[in-house]
Amino acid sequence: MTKSKLVEIIANHQDQITRREAEVVVSTIFSAIGDALSRGERVELRGFGSFYTKQRNARVGRNPKTGDTVQVPAKIVPQFKPGKELRERVDNIT
Amino acid sequence: MTKAEIAKVVHERVGLSKKESGQIVDVVLDVVHKALEQGEDVKLSGFGHFMVRNKRPRRGRNPKTGDEITISSRRIVTFRASQLLKNQVLGENQ
């Protein structure tokens, strides 16, 4: 499923909402999550999961092609942990 | 950030009523949830990809007792943040 497919399903599901509005809603939801993460906030969506950020330490890496060592700087990366309900439901399909 | 706060952002930016905003946030998450339950990947460009992956059974150990056990095969959801989201999280945190 892609974003446009998601938008289409939402627009068809809710009669009061046009396709254009559904598009804005979907973008708004995911950009709100991104904004919260960039503020270092955790986003907890009951039954679905949580988005959060994690600190990665600086490390010495290697260019796999040339074998040269490179300094990889410390960074903050976004993470997602599926909630209990999602985890169980996804595992329970055949 | 919680679902209610995301609904508030939708209400403010999109102009749907508070009630409608709350409902539509639920619907969007539900549609993503259902797709994943059916084993379908969800690709949201600019945000990230939710992928359903099959894990093979592996040997593990009960960390409390030290007993060796077999961890059965299972299906899990993984999330890969898009480059855009990674950059957003990096840029505004540093």
Side-chain angles (χ1 to χ4, degrees):
Chain A
M1 180 184 284
T2 57
K3 198 194 263 177
S4 58
K5 181 76 188 154
L6 174 61
V7 166
E8 197 187 307
I9 294 170
I10 305 300
N12 291 341
H13 184 280
Q14 311 279 100
D15 315 324
Q16 341 71 293
I17 274 179
T18 64
R19 202 200 141 85
R20 175 82 199 115
E21 284 171 323
E23 213 174 300
V24 179
V25 166
V26 170
S27 310
T28 302
I29 292 173
F30 292 100
S31 71
I33 296 173
D35 292 345
L37 289 176
S38 70
R39 294 193 298 264
E41 243 181 83
R42 187 183 174 92
V43 181
E44 274 191 53
L45 307 170
R46 273 299 132 68
F48 188 77
S50 341
F51 295 92
Y52 56 100
T53 52
K54 217 170 174 174
Q55 173 83 40
R56 289 257 185 274
N57 290 330
R59 62 190 169 83
V60 179
R62 215 171 256 283
N63 180 332
K65 225 179 225 161
T66 63
D68 298 344
T69 56
V70 281
Q71 193 59 42
V72 182
K75 56 185 156 196
I76 297 158
V77 292
Q79 305 269 299
F80 172 70
K81 187 168 183 269
K84 188 163 183 274
E85 198 187 316
L86 181 60
R87 227 182 320 132
E88 288 174 353
R89 296 254 196 109
V90 168
D91 194 28
N92 275 340
I93 30 177
T94 42
Chain B
M1 178 178 257
T2 59
K3 218 147 58 174
E5 288 168 275
I6 295 177
K8 192 166 166 257
V9 177
V10 170
H11 165 66
E12 287 164 359
R13 285 201 218 153
V14 185
L16 297 178
S17 74
K18 278 184 184 162
K19 192 176 165 209
E20 285 172 320
S21 301
Q23 284 169 344
I24 199 126
V25 171
D26 278 330
V27 172
V28 170
L29 292 174
D30 210 52
V31 172
V32 175
H33 198 301
K34 292 262 158 60
L36 294 170
E37 264 179 45
Q38 266 142 46
E40 197 186 337
D41 293 353
V42 179
K43 300 178 175 183
L44 303 171
S45 63
F47 186 73
H49 292 3
F50 294 93
M51 290 172 296
V52 180
R53 298 183 56 190
N54 291 302
K55 303 280 272 186
R56 285 185 302 182
R58 62 189 167 90
R59 318 220 82 194
R61 221 172 253 284
N62 180 332
K64 230 180 223 160
T65 63
D67 296 345
E68 204 168 277
I69 45 170
T70 306
I71 299 171
S72 58
S73 66
R74 61 194 61 211
R75 211 190 265 238
I76 57 157
V77 176
T78 58
F79 175 69
R80 263 195 81 176
S82 74
Q83 198 57 50
L84 222 77
L85 182 61
K86 285 183 189 168
N87 288 343
Q88 189 188 0
V89 166
L90 269 182
E92 302 191 30
N93 261 333
Q94 284 179 344

